[in-house]
Amino acid sequence: CVGAVVVCSDARVVSSGEDGELFVWSLATGECEATLVGHSPDHVVQSLCALTDGSNRVLSGGDGFVLLHDLDAARGGAGVPPLREFRSEVGHTF
């Protein structure tokens, strides 16, 4: 099951699955280029947002927090950890 999909400015697609992993796909080849990690395998990432500030980054939301991912590091089958985690004491819960 796919939880969310976003098309990024570098002509790649990021999709989320049921296991908390995010996959970075090439539109040109259809190949999975990397995995963005950091969400719990017990939760679905419910939202994705490509930033439009020229930074080639994606926000992912699920598990009660938001992660910031750098797509420039997502190449060659790498498992890329998030750059930053956003969590609030009064934030959303699931």
Side-chain angles (χ1 to χ4, degrees):
C1 173
V2 176
V5 175
V6 66
V7 178
C8 302
S9 61
D10 67 351
R12 292 191 289 171
V13 172
V14 177
S15 67
S16 67
E18 292 181 327
D19 56 3
E21 287 189 317
L22 303 172
F23 301 98
V24 181
W25 304 92
S26 166
L27 282 175
T29 66
E31 299 290 323
C32 181
E33 294 187 352
T35 303
L36 305 176
V37 298
H39 287 282
S40 169
D42 299 330
H43 294 91
V44 175
V45 174
Q46 298 172 325
S47 59
L48 294 169
C49 177
L51 299 185
T52 59
D53 63 355
S55 65
N56 203 26
R57 294 179 177 174
V58 170
L59 293 168
S60 61
D63 305 345
F65 58 94
V66 175
L67 297 179
L68 175 66
H69 307 275
D70 181 13
L71 291 182
D72 289 335
R75 304 264 182 214
V80 182
L83 292 173
R84 187 168 182 189
E85 178 180 312
F86 300 93
R87 187 181 299 258
S88 172
E89 296 291 322
V90 294
H92 301 286
T93 58
F94 299 98

